[in-house]
Amino acid sequence: FLGDFVDRGAESVVVIAYIMALKVLNPSKWLLIRGNHETREVNGNVAHYGAGSFLSQCVSMFGDEDGHLVWEVVNNFFDTLPLAATIDDRIFCTHGGIPRALCEPGATLDLIQQVECPLRSAHSSQLVYDLLWSDPSSPDEEPRLDSEGFGISPRGCATF
């Protein structure tokens, strides 16, 4: 799974409980990669997502005090999820996109392994932010990309 386990419908609590149960029952069968919605900044943004936010859903299901506790415990789990994975050393998987730092001469995927874990803030580095937020560029955006193929998407995050 490539992230965004919560904030994508009215049943985020049930969905993440089910996904976590699958991971516990079959740890080597399920790989969960962190997406931008697996951050407190996003899934706790009640002002933007309203009743659809993961925080709102936790509070609605468990009450104010227990809802905040469940939300925090699940986010502590999210803090431990990997930001990327490779399949057979050939396929690169991440929620967002390829960070500029990985396109520098001599860069390797070891850069990702150097990111602290657990990782509480998605804003800890540009590398982390790009892995969680980057968007693919559309053909009409290509003229605005720099010589290495990077730019800023309409949402204000990196694009490649």
Side-chain angles (χ1 to χ4, degrees):
F1 294 105
L2 296 177
D4 282 5
F5 309 122
V6 297
D7 297 333
R8 294 297 185 219
E11 303 297 332
S12 291
V13 176
V14 175
V15 169
I16 193 56
Y18 182 68
I19 290 172
M20 291 170 81
L22 289 173
K23 181 68 174 169
V24 168
L25 292 172
N26 298 291
S28 62
K29 186 174 182 176
W30 302 100
L31 179 62
L32 309 176
I33 294 177
R34 189 176 188 178
N36 59 336
H37 283 263
E38 286 71 54
T39 63
R40 289 166 185 80
E41 297 92 349
V42 175
N43 69 45
N45 190 342
V46 177
H48 183 75
Y49 294 102
S53 75
F54 182 54
L55 175 57
S56 290
Q57 291 180 36
C58 288
V59 169
S60 176
M61 184 174 279
F62 299 107
D64 190 56
E65 187 175 336
D66 288 341
H68 277 86
L69 179 62
V70 168
W71 177 79
E72 184 61 34
V73 168
V74 173
N75 273 288
N76 287 342
F77 166 73
F78 291 157
D79 293 345
T80 67
L81 293 178
L83 299 172
T86 58
I87 300 171
D88 296 332
D89 292 323
R90 295 181 50 220
I91 301 170
F92 179 69
C93 306
T94 189
H95 176 77
I98 300 170
R100 183 183 292 264
L102 287 179
C103 297
E104 298 294 327
T108 68
L109 294 179
D110 292 337
L111 285 174
I112 299 169
Q113 292 177 333
Q114 295 170 12
V115 173
E116 67 182 77
C117 185
L119 178 67
R120 191 164 172 92
S121 174
H123 297 285
S124 64
S125 73
Q126 189 63 47
L127 173 78
V128 169
Y129 193 80
D130 289 349
L131 287 166
L132 295 175
W133 282 93
S134 289
D135 292 327
S137 59
S138 63
D140 60 316
E141 292 174 298
E142 288 183 14
R144 295 188 301 263
L145 301 179
D146 66 19
S147 62
E148 296 173 327
F150 288 93
I152 302 297
S153 77
R155 316 191 284 164
C157 59
T159 188
F160 180 72

